[in-house]
């Protein structure tokens, strides 16, 4: 009899007091899949497409391996159809008043609220992640995101005047991801007036469900289209006419390849790469709480990647003991069980973790896995790796989920050196009860997000992103909106592909310099400004500069690869000191430079006149240049602000930090104004600069260099003249330059985009377009300020 | 009950460097509440177990021998016999862990329990409960009298003044005195965490109480405005673990005050299971101080067995 069986079981449980299964019913997910006969096509323009001849990929439950549905794989023509529909809808959607868009997003939030059980069970079923995390955290966050985006849309005309939506956005999602990754990007894009085409991995029903919820709101069916398909479709999506931006999140190497493939293409590329996180555990920490931080960071189904854990040597033993004890309490099991911490994420994730563990062991690392935790396939147990030799190849690789790699450090300074010594720059947390100590570490970490005494908090109002190889695109907060905006009136992006551009040969052909006749007029300063003084180029040769009438004006130094190397070194050396200066001090120097510019008026104006600028314009150009210096000096004083969030008490500081060494290749036109307009925001935001001035008319820039050499600290500005293509090549391929602005030819732009894949530096290129440097919007608009610094969100929870 | 915690010498280095981060503990507490859902048979078994952890308590000004007697009877038969039979646990001797009364009612309780023919221990609050603002001499005398009357567990309150003014050494010595006055009776030390100001103080007071030889540390008297909360419990449980790691002595934990629903009691059980492990899930090391909790548990078990929600008159009152 059934009753006897259950009662005797209660008797057993009474003795052992074990946990039982707490399964969440996924009947509604299956029922939803049944509405499509377990076969999901692309969702385009508010309709399910079911083309006949498409191959399909089974969508498996990662726990049982059982196929719950099939997803039809999109073909290029499906992508084209979706983009076309998104373009058509864009006309109406982008012109709608923000308040109307806000209404629509609110309706979508409501719709998600109504179907949340379906959403969380489906997501947990197909990704294998713990349902508790999806239900209690991700679904509410998705609703908050829509709400936040709606508010931003409502305020758009007021708060974001001067900006317009980019257009059709292509979004590419990685194979293992949470549906939130999609929401983080779709919500702001829709809010500001873009329409979105999502290319999801081959078997991913949740994005399709979200598209259906959005499509069934009735109005605007063309806002959101979702297609499942292989990686070969990525470039197809990016090259569709009308796609203005491609947002990609996924693995670093995939991002790199995509960056190279899309160089010169019509769409801007935003990359969010890697998932590793970092935790700094100091001796002044609440150790038990920090251990919970480690759990949040790696052993809950909150995070997508692994964790690098730095522990201060003095508390190493204590912390390791607590960690290992805590690991024994974790529960691994089917994601749909309401009482597990970690589910399973399919064979690929399992293999990745296993490979890492095996390699680490072969190199002498200690690997700890709690015996009490389920570790049979498909489940991978929480794993703690220690004593991994820092020089071993595996310790350079990204730590995969669900691994924690622990290593000791001695001092705060060393912690920063180790933490900043990886190519990754995503998120990190600092655990210390000493306020000054914690803030020092928080400021020193080169990452996009820092939590003090917490890990993994998220809020729609707080920007999250990264630097270095984590990519430089942002989600959340104002930064998340700017990802999908461009200054009003800027031209739509067109491809600038040059089919015959050889990346290997670009900028290599040297132009021999020979004496070109007598120099006319006063001799210009000669040499390269490197490390605060003028010096001769490594090549020991010169290139002639001609005036507008074709006469020889003089010679400038012919800089080359070695000069770039020296200039970058000097700039790197100067960077910490310059970044440490308060904005006020930097502003004072820019103002002094403006005054020096005005003192040099006669020389500069006559220099411009020799290049065919009429006297009145030349004078105006000079005055405007001085004004720009003062403007940026003043503007940068009001940087950063604090945000209020829902999940915790206390502020989140949105800081604007210098990029580091910024390389600028100036346009040929506006030889003085463009040079100053680019230099001023770069310096004001605390960057040090390696700059290539106008090729046709480098003399005015070199004149200004004389003042900079005496006014600015050595190495803050370095100016190298020479063959622009060659110098561009050197700069673009340099790994230790943190960002590059290029204003030159279409070919050069394409090369710069291609070469930036090396260290994934953010690049800003003009794709051969002229800019109106004398106009306020293009010459001194907020766009420049956005490019000149990077955001860091510093979370400061409070309470006692 | 198990052997006493002998305590240790006062070692202030245990508490001098301690850091407790309140927001992080609050987050952990919030997570823990949704961490482990326990369903069906597991829920029934866990609830029965929870019954065996209860210190069934009455601490009112209007207590008389009549309601103390009823309480004792309920302690002996906490769940209706037919429900226990349905779950096949009627032979497990399920009673509450103790009854807890004011010193003046100890005699009543001892007598009632004797009459009922059971060995459930009687716990008495003491030392100027709940405020502790009386002279040390009378506080100690109170303990001795309660022990004489037959109480085998003494719930003492600590002197909050000493905590708030940082007199840890004095606190240690006071609890030491309590320990001596208890003799063979078990010492449960109430920290009155709602009045300690911050979580760091909760940790320090826990540590001092354990070093001074408490067999249990208890969250609150039930008379403060803030009673047993999860963040406070997490800090106390971590202190218990640290003390165990340092000395090998297992000290018990007793949340009290404001624990009324069966669901809450499940959370408390999983909290202890998560932070300290299964070894602590025994009446020797875990108690829940409560008065109305038991009837809610009985209702839940009634529902589990019969599939119906009980009416008020379906279950005997305590």
């Amino acid at each position: 009899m059934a009753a006897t069986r259950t009662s005797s079981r209660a008797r057993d449980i009474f003795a052992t007091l074990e946990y039982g299964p707490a399964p969440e019913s996924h009947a509604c997910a299956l029922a939803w899949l049944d509405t499509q006969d377990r076969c999901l096509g692309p969702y385009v323009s508010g309709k399910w497409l079911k083309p006949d001849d498409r191959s399909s990929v089974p969508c498996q439950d990662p726990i049982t391996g059982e196929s719950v549905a099939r997803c039809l794989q999109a073909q290029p023509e499906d992508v084209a159809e979706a983009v076309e529909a998104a373009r058509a809808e864009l006309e109406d959607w982008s012109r709608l008043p923000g308040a109307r868009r806000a209404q629509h997003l609110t309706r979508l939030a409501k719709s998600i609220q109504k179907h949340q059980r379906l959403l969380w069970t489906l997501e947990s079923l197909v990704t294998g992640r713990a349902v508790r995390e999806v239900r209690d955290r991700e679904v509410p966050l998705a609703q908050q995101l829509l709400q936040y985006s709606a508010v931003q849309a409502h305020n758009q005309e007021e708060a974001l005047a001067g900006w317009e939506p980019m257009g059709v956005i292509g979004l590419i999602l990685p194979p293992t991801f949470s549906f939130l990754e999609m929401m983080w990007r779709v919500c702001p894009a829709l809010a500001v007036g873009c329409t979105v085409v999502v290319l999801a991995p081959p078997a991913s029903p949740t994005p399709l469900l979200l598209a259906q919820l959005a499509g069934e709101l009735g109005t605007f069916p063309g806002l959101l289209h979702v297609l499942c398909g292989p990686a070969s479709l990525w470039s197809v999506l990016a090259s569709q006419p009308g796609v203005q931006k491609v947002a990609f999140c996924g693995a670093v190497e995939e991002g790199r390849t995509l960056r190279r493939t899309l160089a010169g293409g019509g769409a801007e590329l935003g990359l969010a790469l890697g998932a590793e996180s970092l935790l700094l555990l100091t001796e002044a920490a609440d150790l038990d709480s920090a251990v919970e931080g480690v759990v949040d960071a790696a052993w809950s189904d909150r995070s997508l990647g692994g964790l690098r854990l730095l522990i201060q040597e003095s508390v190493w033993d204590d912390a390791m003991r607590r960690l290992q004890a805590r690991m024994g309490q974790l529960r691994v099991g089917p994601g749909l069980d309401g009482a597990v911490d970690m589910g399973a994420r399919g064979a690929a994730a399992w293999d990745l973790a296993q490979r890492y563990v095996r390699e680490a062991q072969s190199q002498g690392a200690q690997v700890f896995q709690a015996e009490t935790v389920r570790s049979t396939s498909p489940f991978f147990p929480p794993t703690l790796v220690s004593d991994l030799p820092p020089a071993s190849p595996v310790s350079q690789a990204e730590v995969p989920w669900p691994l924690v790699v622990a290593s000791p450090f001695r001092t705060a300074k060393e912690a920063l050196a180790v933490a900043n010594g990886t190519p990754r720059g995503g998120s990190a947390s600092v655990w210390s009860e000493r306020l000054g100590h914690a803030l020092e570490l928080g400021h020193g970490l080169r990452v996009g997000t820092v939590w003090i005494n917490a890990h993994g908090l998220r809020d729609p109002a707080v920007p999250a992103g990264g630097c270095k190889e984590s990519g430089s695109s942002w989600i959340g907060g104002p930064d998340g909106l700017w990802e999908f905006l461009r200054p009003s009136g800027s031209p739509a992006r067109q491809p600038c592909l040059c089919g015959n551009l050889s990346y290997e040969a670009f900028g290599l052909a040297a132009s021999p310099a020979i004496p070109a006749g007598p120099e006319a007029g006063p001799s210009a300063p000669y040499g390269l400004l490197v490390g605060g003084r003028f010096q001769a180029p490594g090549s020991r040769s010169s290139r002639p500069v001609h005036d507008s009438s074709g006469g020889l004006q003089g010679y400038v130094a012919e800089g080359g690869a070695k000069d770039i190397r020296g200039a970058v070194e000097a700039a790197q050396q100067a960077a910490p000191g310059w970044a440490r200066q308060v904005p006020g001090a930097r502003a004072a120097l820019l103002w002094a430079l403006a005054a020096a510019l005005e003192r040099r008026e006669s020389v500069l104006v006559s220099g411009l006149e020799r290049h065919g600028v009429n006297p009145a314009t030349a004078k105006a150009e000079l005055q405007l240049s001085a004004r720009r210096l003062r403007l940026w000096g003043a503007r940068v004083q009001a940087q950063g602000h604090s945000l209020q969030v829902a999940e915790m008490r206390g502020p989140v500081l949105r800081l604007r930090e210098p990029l580091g060494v910024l390389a600028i290749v100036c346009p040929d036109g506006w030889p003085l104004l463009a040079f100053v307009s680019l230099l001023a925001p770069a310096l004001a935001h605390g960057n040090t600069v390696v700059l290539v001035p106008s090729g046709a008319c480098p003399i005015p820039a070199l004149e200004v260099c004389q003042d900079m050499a005496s006014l600015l600290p050595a190495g803050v500005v370095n100016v190298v003249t020479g063959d622009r293509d060659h110098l561009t090549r050197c700069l673009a391929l340099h790994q230790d330059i943190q960002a590059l602005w290029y204003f030159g030819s279409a070919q050069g732009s394409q090369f710069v985009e291609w070469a930036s894949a090396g260290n994934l530096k953010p690049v800003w290129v003009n794709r051969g377009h002229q800019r109106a440097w004398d106009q306020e919007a293009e010459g001194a608009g907020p766009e420049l300020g956005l490019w000149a610094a990077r955001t860091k969100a510093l979370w400061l929870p409070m309470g006692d | 009950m198990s052997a006493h915690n002998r305590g240790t010498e006062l070692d202030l280095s245990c508490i001098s460097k301690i850091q407790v981060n309140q927001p992080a503990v609050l987050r952990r507490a919030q997570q823990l509440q949704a961490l482990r859902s326990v369903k069906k048979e597991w829920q029934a078994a866990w609830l029965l177990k929870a019954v065996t952890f209860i210190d069934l308590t009455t601490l009112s000004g209007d207590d008389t021998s009549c309601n103390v007697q009823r309480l004792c009877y309920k302690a002996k038969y906490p769940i209706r016999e037919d429900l226990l039979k349905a779950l096949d646990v009627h032979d497990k001797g399920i009673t509450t862990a103790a009854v807890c009364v004011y010193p003046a009612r100890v005699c009543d309780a001892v007598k009632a329990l004797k009459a009922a023919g059971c060995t459930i221990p009687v716990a008495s609050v003491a030392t100027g409960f709940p405020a502790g603002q009386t002279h040390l001499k009378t506080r100690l005398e109170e303990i001795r009298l309660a022990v004489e009357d037959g109480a085998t567990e003494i719930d003492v309150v600590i002197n909050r003044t000493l905590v708030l003014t940082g007199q840890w050494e004095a606190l240690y010595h006071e609890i030491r005195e309590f320990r001596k006055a208890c003799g063979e009776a078990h010492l449960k030390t109430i920290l009155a965490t709602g009045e300690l100001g911050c979580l760091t103080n909760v940790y320090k007071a826990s540590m001092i109480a354990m070093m001074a030889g408490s067999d249990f540390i208890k969250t609150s008297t039930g008379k403060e405005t803030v009673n047993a909360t999860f963040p406070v419990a997490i800090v106390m449980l971590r202190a218990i673990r640290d003390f165990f790691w340092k000395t090998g002595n297992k000290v018990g934990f007793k949340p009290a005050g404001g624990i009324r629903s069966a669901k809450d009691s499940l959370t408390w059980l999983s909290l202890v299971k998560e932070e300290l492990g299964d070894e602590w899930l025994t009446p020797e090391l875990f108690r829940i101080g409560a008065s109305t909790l038991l009837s809610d548990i009985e209702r839940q078990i009634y529902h589990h067995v019969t599939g119906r929600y009980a009416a008020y008159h379906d279950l005997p009152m305590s």
Side-chain angles (χ1 to χ4, degrees):
Chain A
M1 207 175 89
T4 330
R5 189 174 51 79
T6 48
S7 57
S8 64
R9 201 188 303 170
R11 189 183 168 90
D12 295 341
I13 303 164
F14 181 78
T16 60
L17 218 57
E18 66 193 7
Y19 288 121
E24 185 93 14
S25 162
H26 59 289
C28 63
L30 295 180
W32 178 74
L33 291 169
D34 282 337
T35 62
Q36 297 303 314
D37 298 325
R38 304 279 178 120
C39 175
L40 304 170
Y43 194 84
V44 174
S45 303
K47 289 190 300 286
W48 291 98
L49 300 187
K50 288 277 171 66
D52 290 332
D53 51 342
R54 301 291 187 264
S55 62
S56 69
V57 167
C59 169
Q60 289 171 325
D61 174 348
I63 314 288
T64 60
E66 177 193 342
S67 167
V68 294
R70 287 173 302 121
C71 287
L72 295 182
Q73 301 301 291
Q75 290 286 329
E77 57 261 39
D78 303 329
V79 176
E81 185 185 339
V83 171
E84 201 42 53
R87 274 178 86 172
E89 191 75 278
L90 184 70
E91 295 289 311
D92 294 336
W93 180 248
S94 61
R95 292 204 192 114
L96 221 55
R100 291 281 309 282
R101 284 202 298 272
Q103 264 175 6
H104 195 76
L105 290 175
T106 313
R107 285 181 62 209
L108 181 55
K110 285 260 165 58
S111 175
I112 286 182
Q113 189 185 15
K114 287 173 197 157
H115 301 288
Q116 46 180 310
R117 169 171 285 274
L118 170 57
L119 184 58
W120 82 57
T121 48
L122 181 70
E123 172 78 356
S124 177
L125 173 68
V126 298
T127 63
R129 293 182 309 124
V131 68
R132 179 163 53 83
E133 203 57 38
V134 183
R135 179 191 60 207
D136 297 347
R137 197 177 130 85
E138 297 186 351
V139 171
L141 192 51
Q143 283 170 260
Q144 287 170 24
L145 251 166
L146 279 163
Q147 211 57 57
Y148 175 82
S149 301
V151 171
Q152 302 308 310
H154 198 274
N155 285 346
Q156 190 176 2
E157 284 88 359
E158 199 181 323
L160 294 167
W163 298 87
E164 63 180 23
M166 279 182 168
V168 177
I169 307 296
L171 172 59
I172 299 173
L173 297 169
T176 50
F177 74 107
S178 137
F179 78 99
L180 263 186
E181 295 295 325
M182 171 175 155
M183 296 301 282
W184 275 116
R185 292 164 178 88
V186 168
C187 298
L190 295 181
V192 299
C194 297
T195 55
V196 185
V197 177
V198 180
L199 198 52
S204 41
T206 326
L208 290 165
L209 169 63
L210 289 167
Q212 191 193 1
L213 291 180
E216 288 181 352
L217 292 178
T219 43
F220 306 109
L223 289 186
L224 179 63
H225 315 266
V226 175
L227 307 102
C228 296
S232 59
L233 287 179
W234 294 355
S235 53
V236 175
L237 173 62
S239 56
Q240 293 297 318
V243 174
Q244 291 290 296
K245 170 151 191 163
V246 170
F248 174 85
C249 53
V252 178
E253 281 316 310
E254 287 171 349
R256 227 189 273 280
T257 311
L258 196 63
R259 174 66 283 176
R260 292 201 176 106
T261 318
L262 299 188
E268 190 182 316
L269 182 61
L271 297 171
L273 307 175
E276 186 190 287
S277 193
L278 179 92
L279 191 146
L280 264 181
L281 204 174
T282 72
E283 61 185 2
D286 172 356
L287 285 187
D288 286 308
S289 291
V291 166
E292 293 306 326
V294 175
V295 174
D296 285 343
W299 300 322
S300 68
D301 271 339
R302 179 173 299 194
S303 69
L304 300 175
L307 179 76
R308 206 167 279 274
L309 171 63
L310 299 181
I311 303 176
Q312 195 150 21
E313 211 174 1
S314 51
V315 290
W316 172 268
D317 291 335
D318 201 3
M320 289 301 266
R321 178 176 190 183
R322 280 166 207 274
L323 268 172
Q324 294 179 354
R326 181 68 178 89
M327 287 171 79
Q329 299 295 334
L330 291 165
R331 296 192 77 227
V332 176
L336 277 168
D337 189 316
V340 305
D341 300 305
M342 272 170 53
R345 298 197 188 169
W350 195 93
D351 289 342
L352 196 65
Q354 184 61 28
R355 206 160 46 237
Y356 192 100
V357 166
R358 212 176 294 133
E359 270 179 52
Q361 270 170 329
S362 74
Q363 282 159 23
Q366 299 293 315
V367 173
F368 177 84
Q369 294 172 337
E371 281 164 16
T372 49
V373 176
R374 192 159 169 180
S375 60
T376 46
S377 175
F379 299 105
F380 202 94
T383 305
L384 177 63
V385 179
S386 54
D387 297 339
L388 188 62
S392 65
V394 64
S395 82
Q396 310 300 315
E398 187 173 323
V399 180
W401 169 90
L403 268 57
V404 172
V405 176
S407 44
F409 68 89
R410 293 170 298 173
T411 61
K413 210 171 174 185
E414 186 176 64
L416 280 183
V418 175
N420 288 335
T422 72
R424 287 162 283 274
S427 59
S429 63
V430 173
W431 293 78
S432 168
E433 292 303 307
R434 277 161 41 211
L435 183 62
H437 186 225
L439 288 176
E440 171 75 18
L441 288 168
H443 272 267
L445 284 168
R446 228 170 291 154
V447 293
T449 302
V450 178
W451 298 281
I452 304 290
N453 294 324
H455 200 107
L457 303 181
R458 288 266 182 252
D459 192 277
V462 180
C467 57
K468 296 197 268 187
E469 284 189 2
S470 294
S472 45
S473 77
W474 288 81
I475 53 174
D479 304 72
L481 298 174
W482 281 315
E483 287 285 317
F484 304 107
L485 291 167
R486 63 176 172 221
S488 300
S490 30
R493 284 174 67 102
Q494 300 292 337
C496 64
L497 273 172
C498 322
N500 56 357
L501 175 67
S502 158
Y503 294 124
E504 279 68 41
F506 176 85
L508 278 184
S511 47
I514 43 168
E519 291 181 50
S523 77
Y526 178 84
L528 309 168
L529 178 65
V530 174
R533 54 195 184 84
F534 278 91
Q535 58 187 51
S539 66
R540 297 289 188 269
S541 57
S542 311
R543 59 191 291 116
V545 177
H546 301 280
D547 60 22
S548 57
S549 55
L552 181 72
Q553 192 183 352
Y555 291 95
V556 294
E558 177 78 66
K562 283 194 177 145
D563 302 303
I564 292 291
R565 188 193 68 187
V568 173
E569 270 171 23
Q572 282 293 1
Q573 244 167 25
W578 184 242
R580 241 194 326 269
Q581 299 239 12
V582 293
R586 292 199 294 258
L589 286 172
L590 288 180
W591 282 45
L593 193 60
L597 214 63
E598 283 159 349
R599 279 198 298 277
R600 216 173 264 277
E601 177 170 338
S602 61
V603 184
L604 288 170
V605 168
S606 72
L608 290 172
E609 280 173 27
R610 290 194 63 180
H611 274 268
V613 184
N614 78 48
T617 318
K619 200 160 173 188
E621 181 171 348
L622 179 109
Q623 280 163 357
L624 191 52
S625 301
R627 205 156 66 226
R628 292 268 156 91
L629 283 167
R630 295 201 173 98
L631 172 81
W632 281 106
R635 232 181 230 177
V636 84
Q637 315 245 351
Q639 279 280 316
H641 53 270
S642 85
L643 307 159
Q644 292 299 322
V645 297
E647 208 183 338
M648 62 158 213
R649 292 179 63 230
V652 179
L653 305 184
R654 177 179 173 271
L655 308 172
R656 294 286 286 166
E657 295 193 339
L659 299 160
V661 174
L662 174 57
I664 303 174
V665 180
C666 293
D668 266 340
W670 296 101
L672 178 64
L673 182 62
F675 163 74
V676 170
S677 298
L678 289 166
L679 188 64
L683 289 180
H685 285 88
N687 303 291
T688 54
V689 175
V690 176
L691 184 139
V692 178
S694 158
C697 179
I699 309 281
L702 290 172
E703 293 284 355
V704 178
C705 280
Q706 301 194 53
D707 292 315
M708 291 198 290
S710 60
L711 280 171
L712 298 176
V716 167
V717 178
N718 305 276
V719 176
V720 181
T721 52
D723 181 79
R724 285 163 53 83
D725 283 351
H726 180 59
L727 296 177
T728 299
R729 181 184 182 89
C730 298
L731 290 170
L733 289 172
H734 202 295
Q735 291 284 103
D736 209 14
I737 287 176
Q738 277 71 48
L740 172 58
W741 298 352
Y742 177 82
F743 293 88
S745 63
Q747 283 195 345
S749 301
Q750 185 182 343
F751 177 83
V752 164
E753 289 192 336
W754 176 83
S756 73
N759 67 347
L760 290 166
K761 59 172 92 64
V763 292
W764 184 24
V765 296
N766 71 333
R767 309 161 83 81
H769 290 298
Q770 302 297 322
R771 244 180 125 79
W773 293 101
D774 54 337
Q775 300 299 310
E776 194 65 16
E778 298 206 344
E783 191 187 10
L784 282 97
L786 287 183
W787 281 106
R790 63 183 168 78
T791 303
K792 179 193 271 180
L794 185 60
W795 294 67
L796 298 169
M798 68 184 191
D800 182 52
Chain B
M1 207 161 179
S2 66
H4 289 295
N5 166 26
R6 305 238 156 272
T8 64
E9 294 295 305
L10 178 65
D11 176 9
L12 287 176
S13 74
C14 289
I15 61 166
S16 60
K17 271 200 274 179
I18 182 64
Q19 308 283 356
V20 179
N21 186 281
Q22 190 251 15
V25 171
L26 248 51
R27 263 197 313 279
R28 168 77 173 146
Q30 209 174 12
Q31 282 175 3
L32 269 167
Q33 289 172 58
L35 198 61
R36 305 280 183 247
S37 54
V38 184
K39 294 184 174 176
K40 299 190 175 146
E41 297 94 320
W42 282 266
Q43 192 179 75
W46 278 52
L47 287 175
L48 286 171
K49 198 74 179 184
V51 169
T52 68
F53 296 145
I54 293 179
D55 276 3
L56 198 59
T57 304
T58 180
L59 292 171
S60 308
D62 57 1
D63 284 342
T64 65
S65 71
C66 153
N67 76 318
V68 168
Q69 194 180 2
R70 206 163 52 216
L71 186 83
C72 291
Y73 193 76
K74 186 73 185 173
K76 164 94 167 120
Y77 303 104
I79 306 286
R80 249 169 53 175
E81 181 81 6
D82 57 328
L83 300 179
L84 293 179
K85 274 201 176 120
L87 291 166
D88 192 26
V89 287
H90 52 288
D91 55 347
K92 291 273 188 181
I94 292 177
T95 66
T96 67
V99 291
C100 182
V101 293
Y102 269 122
R105 301 270 73 79
V106 170
C107 286
D108 294 338
V110 170
K111 203 167 105 194
L113 285 170
K114 203 171 192 179
C118 68
T119 56
I120 300 173
V122 175
S124 168
V125 297
T127 69
F129 183 93
Q133 297 280 20
T134 56
H135 293 293
L136 181 59
K137 197 170 168 191
T138 57
R139 282 187 274 154
L140 290 170
E141 195 56 27
E142 213 179 345
I143 295 177
R144 287 189 200 104
L145 292 172
V147 173
E148 266 172 38
D149 283 351
T152 52
E153 300 180 6
I154 306 292
D155 290 24
V156 302
V157 292
I158 61 163
N159 188 335
R160 274 82 102 187
T161 314
L162 297 179
V163 174
L164 293 171
T165 53
Q167 302 180 59
W168 303 111
E169 222 174 316
L171 181 65
Y172 173 84
H173 291 299
E174 260 197 31
I175 300 174
R176 264 282 183 223
E177 298 271 319
F178 295 162
R179 162 85 274 171
K180 262 185 243 152
C182 281
E184 279 311 297
H186 278 78
L187 174 66
K188 301 201 212 97
T189 306
I190 305 173
L191 304 178
T193 52
E195 295 178 351
L196 297 189
C198 65
L199 292 179
T200 311
N201 274 352
V202 170
Y203 183 95
K204 290 181 176 176
S206 304
M207 236 3 171
I208 295 284
M210 288 186 285
M211 286 192 279
S214 308
D215 298 302
F216 269 83
I217 51 176
K218 176 173 166 185
T219 57
S220 19
T221 60
K223 310 284 183 193
E224 293 98 41
T225 44
V226 181
N227 292 308
T229 64
F230 294 118
V232 159
I234 288 170
V235 173
M236 289 172 71
L237 292 171
R238 287 173 179 174
I240 290 174
R241 182 177 55 209
D242 286 349
F243 186 73
F244 172 61
W245 280 356
K246 211 161 280 171
T247 66
N249 286 340
K250 286 182 185 165
V251 172
F253 172 65
K254 176 176 172 187
I259 304 172
R260 292 193 183 88
S261 73
K263 191 166 178 289
D264 276 354
S265 70
L266 292 177
T267 311
W268 282 101
L269 257 64
S270 75
L271 181 71
V272 172
K273 190 177 165 80
E274 289 295 313
E275 286 286 336
L276 293 175
D278 289 344
E279 302 157 71
W280 257 266
L281 288 175
T282 121
E284 280 82 56
L285 291 170
F286 179 53
R287 298 286 180 84
I288 300 173
S291 41
T292 52
L293 169 65
L294 182 56
S295 55
D296 193 47
I297 291 183
E298 200 176 3
R299 298 169 79 77
Q300 294 302 324
I301 289 177
Y302 180 96
H303 176 247
H304 175 79
V305 171
T306 64
R308 296 155 191 266
Y309 292 103
Y312 176 73
H313 58 258
D314 282 331
L315 302 167
M317 69 183 286
S318 59

